[in-house]
Amino acid sequence: MKTYRIAVIAGDGIGTEVVPAAIEVLKKTASNGGFACDFTDLPWGCDYYLKHGRMMDPDGVDRLMMFDAIFLGAIGAPTVSDAISARELILPLRQRLLQYVNLRPMRLLTGIRSPLAGRGPADIDMICVRENSEGEYCGLGGRVHAGTPAETAVQTGVFTRQGIERIARYAFRVAQSRPRKMLASATKSNALQHAMVFWDEVVAGVAKEFPDVTYVKYHVDALCARMVTHPQTLDVIVASNLFGDILTDIGSAISGSLGVAPGGNINPDRTHPSMFEPIHGSAPDIAGKGIANPIAAIWAGAMMLDHLGERPAHDRILAAIERVIGDERVKTPDLGGKASTKEMTRAVTDALA
Ligand code: IPM
Ligand code: MG
């Protein structure tokens, strides 16, 4: 039987609640689908940091190379500075495992109310292809003259032709595979005359390879507004690392709840394992209460199976999610209900049958 080796980093806060929930769904889907997933827990995260002084083992990246994929919960805790927890775990993994695509569907599911008045599922169905390896997140920069009036910080954005070309090409292919075949590129070339003028030039060059895709560029501020005022005009969005981070929080907010939105950190060349995660964080305010919405993690798990080549299994999980959400009987508090994580998970596993 085909067996996939999955590294599991449940991480912090509600990560440790939604990951087991999603694994339950993945196991059931696998046994129905004639394949298996072999899950290996890695204890990395903020508690690990407090004990060992580092977010993950020094040979962490090498060890992850042995797996077919990585399933991540959430990283972050009030006890550890966010700059440490993100910069020493999530961001190095995305960079060192060459996961240069961050793929984030933003869809209003039937049964969820958008905070945008009068909008339904037909209006909000987009997917963001976020550059995940360079740009504003490259990590280059420094700080000098600490504690003096001359204290200075520089944080540099790095944009390479190779980096822009590959993310644009991936985004055009995603657009090509969707019925509307539309791609919006987030730019800011009116103010960032080096990086974003370059971004526009390279994306426009790649656009020539995809004459069947309608390509439009928007300044990112206007695109933020458009997501709120005219979400129905957007299909696929391609964006730099920071712009994509911001746009996808808007996208998941207008889709009704951060508790539903999944993401994949993908290495399209498959030279290194890809990593799948709910896009919500560790939510310390509700951690330990058993009420976190497991849907984002379950959906991220489905994306992982799709990446591993199990498209029918992905589709079965999505159908189960849609059935449970559409039915509106079982809802966690983020969706206005009273169900627990366990009840919601149970509803999804029952709907898989
Ligand atoms: C995300 C998160 C991360 C990011 C943080 C934790 C560094 O907000 O995955 O969207 O900014 O990429
Ligand atoms: Mg974010």
Side-chain angles (χ1 to χ4, degrees), residues 104 130 245 248-249:
R104 297 184 159 181
R130 167 184 174 190
D245 178 44
T248 52
D249 263 29

Side-chain angles (χ1 to χ4, degrees), residues 299-319:
W299 192 342
M303 289 175 74
M304 177 169 75
L305 295 185
D306 188 14
H307 178 78
L308 291 170
E310 302 291 345
R311 181 76 200 181
H314 163 277
D315 293 349
R316 283 203 304 279
I317 296 179
L318 255 281

Side-chain angles (χ1 to χ4, degrees), residues 94 102 104 130 137 241-242 244-246 248-249 258 279:
R94 288 175 180 170
N102 194 328
R104 297 184 159 181
R130 167 184 174 190
Y137 277 53
N241 213 332
L242 178 61
D245 178 44
I246 298 165
T248 52
D249 263 29
L258 272 161
I279 86 162

Side-chain angles (χ1 to χ4, degrees), residues 99-266:
Q99 298 163 348
Y100 65 81
V101 174
N102 194 328
L103 190 63
R104 297 184 159 181
M106 301 170 288
R107 242 181 86 196
L108 178 59
L109 299 178
T110 302
I112 296 184
R113 246 205 12 230
S114 171
L116 301 183
R119 294 295 182 185
D123 298 309
I124 301 175
D125 182 4
M126 15 184 162
I127 184 161
C128 184
V129 177
R130 167 184 174 190
E131 205 294 320
N132 210 31
S133 65
E134 55 178 36
E136 310 85 346
Y137 277 53
C138 69
L140 280 182
R143 222 161 126 175
V144 290
H145 308 310
T148 75
E151 186 160 5
T152 303
V154 173
Q155 186 98 38
T156 307
V158 165
F159 293 83
T160 66
R161 180 176 293 281
Q162 183 208 34
I164 303 168
E165 241 169 45
R166 65 189 182 184
I167 198 68
R169 204 164 275 131
Y170 190 95
F172 274 104
R173 290 209 179 103
V174 173
Q176 217 169 27
S177 74
R178 292 166 59 97
R180 289 188 285 162
K181 300 194 190 331
M182 288 160 53
L183 179 66
S185 167
T187 185
K188 191 62 195 172
S189 46
N190 54 352
L192 308 180
Q193 77 273 46
H194 308 300
M196 283 296 137
V197 171
F198 184 39
W199 172 278
D200 290 351
E201 281 170 19
V202 177
V203 177
V206 175
K208 296 205 186 89
E209 298 166 25
F210 299 88
D212 54 333
V213 173
T214 311
Y215 156 65
V216 186
K217 63 179 187 196
Y218 297 101
H219 292 307
V220 66
D221 47 351
L223 184 54
C224 290
R226 175 169 288 268
M227 285 176 83
V228 173
T229 58
H230 300 78
Q232 77 285 6
T233 64
L234 296 165
D235 180 16
V236 182
I237 295 174
V238 63
S240 68
N241 213 332
L242 178 61
F243 291 175
D245 178 44
I246 298 165
L247 291 168
T248 52
D249 263 29
I250 299 180
S252 57
I254 63 174
S255 306
S257 169
L258 272 161
V260 174
N265 303 276
I266 297 172

